[in-house]
């Protein structure tokens, strides 16, 4: 076993217990298979496939997707993600079929392999790694971290050092024996929870985590802020549901839109909260809101993020470009006769929303399947 993976047996952390999953709802399976065949008419054999699935569900309470069904289901789950603005390229999602991986050690190894492949030396690839599904007999492992790469947050007498969002996860990792360095950008280990037994701690090796130091194209002092961010936003705590089957370990990623980092991770008051620091270095009047110092600082912070990623050769997009791309995606979906669900509050960027084209319309808010859902 690699040295960056180790099993733990902490006395104060309760072991997970096996919980049987429900049997597959045959109606959900049929709905998905009909969708797959409708969008892939050359496959043929719809009724024979439905009979096979009905037989397997009657015998085992579940059934097995072919690779083609799995690939289609994962891509459509991205297409259906109503909070994602970057769905224009849903057909390009690379699907890593790792359904035979059910041990926590295997989940750790494949998560690291996912990061290597998705990072692609900075040319970020939209990727999903799908590991063992839940079955009526046994739950599959889960990844506790909401993303494969997260920065620690440490409670101190002077406030939180690092990312406040991850304070609870950091403290849980510490209970499991992890010792952070107390810095602002300490990469947290993965915590993998099996259906029974002790959780597994996976320290991400350095070559799996590409980070970008944040600098500004005009202000040399920006580097002194000591900001950086990781290149791959890989969601890891959601279940991929396809035709009634839950794949609980299915980390997936696209690439960043700059505002996710510059207008949220760095700017939000409950995250790194760097607007005041930037404004002071810019010499802005922060004594009154009417100076719009927050707006000015926010723009420069986002300029720095986009510039830094581009300088480092790491894929990123800006919110104006991505807004136009989303409307292109929406038009394609409407032309194909499909509903394109979207949550307005997530699709409209957190910066300059009113000057992007996605601001000026309403969207269908229904939830479709296949989908990425939070664990039940």
């Amino acid at each position: 076993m690699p040295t960056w993976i180790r099993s733990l047996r902490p006395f104060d952390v309760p072991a997970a217990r096996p919980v049987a999953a429900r049997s597959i709802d045959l109606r959900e399976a049929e709905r998905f298979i009909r969708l797959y065949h409708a969008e892939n008419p050359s496959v043929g054999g719809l009724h024979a496939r439905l009979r096979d699935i009905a037989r397997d569900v009657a015998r085992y309470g579940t059934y097995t997707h072919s690779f083609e069904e799995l690939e289609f289901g994962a891509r459509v789950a991205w297409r259906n993600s109503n909070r994602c603005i970057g769905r224009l390229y849903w057909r390009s999602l690379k699907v890593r079929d790792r359904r035979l991986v059910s041990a926590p050690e295997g989940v750790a190894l494949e998560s690291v392999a996912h990061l290597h492949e998705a990072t692609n030396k900075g040319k970020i690839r939209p990727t999903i790694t799908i590991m063992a599904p839940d079955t009526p007999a046994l739950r599959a492992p889960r990844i506790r971290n909401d993303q494969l790469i997260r920065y620690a947050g440490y409670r101190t007498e002077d406030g939180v050092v690092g990312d406040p969002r991850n304070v609870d996860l950091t403290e849980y990792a510490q209970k499991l024996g992890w010792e952070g360095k107390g810095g602002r950008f300490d990469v947290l280990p993965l915590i993998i929870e099996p259906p029974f037994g002790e959780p597994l701690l996976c320290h991400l090796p350095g070559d799996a985590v590409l980070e970008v130091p944040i600098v500004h194209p005009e202000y040399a002092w920006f580097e002194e802020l000591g900001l950086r961010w990781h290149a791959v936003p890989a969601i890891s705590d959601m279940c991929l549901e396809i035709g009634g089957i839950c794949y609980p370990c299915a980390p997936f990623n696209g690439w960043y839109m700059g505002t996710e980092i510059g207008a949220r991770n760095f700017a939000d008051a409950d995250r790194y909260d760097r607007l005041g620091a930037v404004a002071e270095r810019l010499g802005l009047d922060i004594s009154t809101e009417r100076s719009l110092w927050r707006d000015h600082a926010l723009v420069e912070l986002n300029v720095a993020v986009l510039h830094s990623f581009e300088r480092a050769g790491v894929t990123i997009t800006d919110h104006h470009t991505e807004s136009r791309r989303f409307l292109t995606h929406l038009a394609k979906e409407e032309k194909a006769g499909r509903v394109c669900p979207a949550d307005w509050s997530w699709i409209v960027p957190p910066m300059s929303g009113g000057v992007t084209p996605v601001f000026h319309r309403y969207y269908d808010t229904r939830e479709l399947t296949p989908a990425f859902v939070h664990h039940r």
Side-chain angles (χ1 to χ4, degrees):
M1 186 185 302
T3 56
W4 38 268
I5 302 177
R6 66 189 179 98
S7 185
L8 298 156
R9 197 180 298 272
F11 69 90
D12 57 347
V13 178
R17 297 297 179 212
V19 178
R22 58 182 171 80
S23 294
I24 296 303
D25 185 333
L26 196 56
R27 293 169 299 179
E28 293 182 31
E30 180 176 346
R31 188 180 304 117
F32 168 68
I33 294 300
R34 289 187 179 279
L35 176 67
Y36 171 66
H37 281 257
E39 295 194 25
N40 299 273
S42 63
V43 174
L46 168 62
H47 297 293
R49 180 62 176 139
L50 290 175
R51 285 195 300 270
D52 289 343
I53 289 173
R55 179 198 63 213
D56 288 348
V57 171
R59 289 179 179 176
Y60 312 115
T62 188
Y63 67 104
T64 302
H65 291 126
S66 69
F67 173 75
E68 292 76 16
E69 291 166 352
L70 185 77
E71 182 178 61
F72 173 78
R75 290 173 174 173
V76 172
W78 185 13
R79 187 177 82 192
N80 289 339
S81 297
N82 64 1
R83 292 182 171 184
C84 179
I85 196 174
R87 287 175 269 168
L88 177 60
Y89 306 106
W90 66 274
R91 294 181 186 274
S92 70
L93 181 66
K94 179 181 179 182
V95 178
R96 302 177 72 242
D97 183 359
R98 299 296 187 270
R99 284 176 289 173
L100 296 180
V101 174
S102 58
E105 294 82 1
V107 172
L109 290 169
E110 288 300 337
S111 296
V112 171
H114 176 107
L115 287 174
H116 280 131
E117 293 194 28
T119 302
N120 190 31
K121 299 181 180 179
K123 306 302 181 185
I124 310 301
R125 292 173 177 162
T127 303
I128 184 169
T129 298
I130 304 173
M131 290 173 262
D134 284 341
T135 71
L138 188 66
R139 283 196 343 167
R142 266 89 169 141
I143 298 173
R144 170 66 75 93
N145 314 57
D146 65 331
Q147 291 193 21
L148 293 182
I149 304 172
R150 276 301 194 194
Y151 295 120
Y154 306 96
R155 296 184 205 270
T156 73
E157 293 181 356
D158 299 320
V160 174
V161 174
D163 193 341
R165 175 178 182 144
N166 300 319
V167 166
D168 290 342
L169 183 63
T170 301
E171 292 178 348
Y172 184 56
Q174 289 172 327
K175 286 183 179 180
L176 295 173
W178 178 70
E179 297 180 4
K181 297 179 180 179
R184 291 192 299 161
F185 296 97
D186 294 349
V187 175
L188 283 166
L190 290 182
I191 300 172
I192 300 164
E193 298 179 332
F196 54 88
E198 296 77 30
L200 189 78
L201 201 68
C202 170
H203 299 268
L204 295 176
D207 63 358
V209 182
L210 177 60
E211 294 180 284
V212 177
I214 306 301
V215 297
H216 195 282
E218 297 180 23
Y219 304 118
W221 53 259
F222 212 98
E223 187 174 3
E224 298 171 8
L225 297 175
L227 301 177
R228 65 177 183 267
W229 205 257
H230 56 88
V232 180
I235 306 299
S236 54
D237 70 339
M238 298 186 78
C239 168
L240 170 62
E241 282 195 356
I242 303 175
I245 295 178
C246 170
Y247 297 95
C249 269
F252 63 95
N253 69 274
W255 50 71
Y256 272 116
M257 185 167 73
T259 52
E260 295 178 82
I261 303 169
R264 299 302 309 276
N265 299 338
F266 287 157
D268 281 355
D270 59 351
R271 298 295 298 284
Y272 279 87
D273 194 19
R274 293 290 84 197
L275 284 185
V278 172
E280 288 181 1
R281 296 301 295 265
L282 288 168
L284 303 177
D285 179 7
I286 63 174
S287 66
T288 173
E289 296 294 349
R290 298 189 69 169
S291 69
L292 301 184
W293 64 268
R294 298 180 194 276
D295 307 73
H296 190 166
L298 187 64
V299 168
E300 298 301 342
L301 188 51
N302 280 270
V303 166
V305 168
L306 292 171
H307 167 75
S308 301
F309 271 66
E310 183 176 7
R311 189 183 76 153
V314 176
T315 306
I316 197 168
T317 187
D318 66 88
H319 51 294
H320 296 286
T321 299
E322 210 57 45
S323 293
R324 291 194 298 270
R325 287 174 178 170
F326 179 73
L327 293 188
T328 298
H329 167 69
L330 186 63
K332 287 186 174 182
E333 291 300 293
E334 290 175 346
K335 184 177 181 180
R338 294 192 291 258
V339 170
C340 180
D343 183 332
W344 189 95
S345 65
W346 281 74
I347 295 301
V348 175
M351 171 183 169
S352 306
V355 295
T356 61
V358 293
F359 179 90
H360 304 280
R361 59 166 297 158
Y362 295 102
Y363 301 97
D364 193 310
T365 59
R366 76 186 76 178
E367 296 181 356
L368 304 178
T369 59
F372 295 102
V373 300
H374 288 287
H375 295 299
R376 296 183 174 88

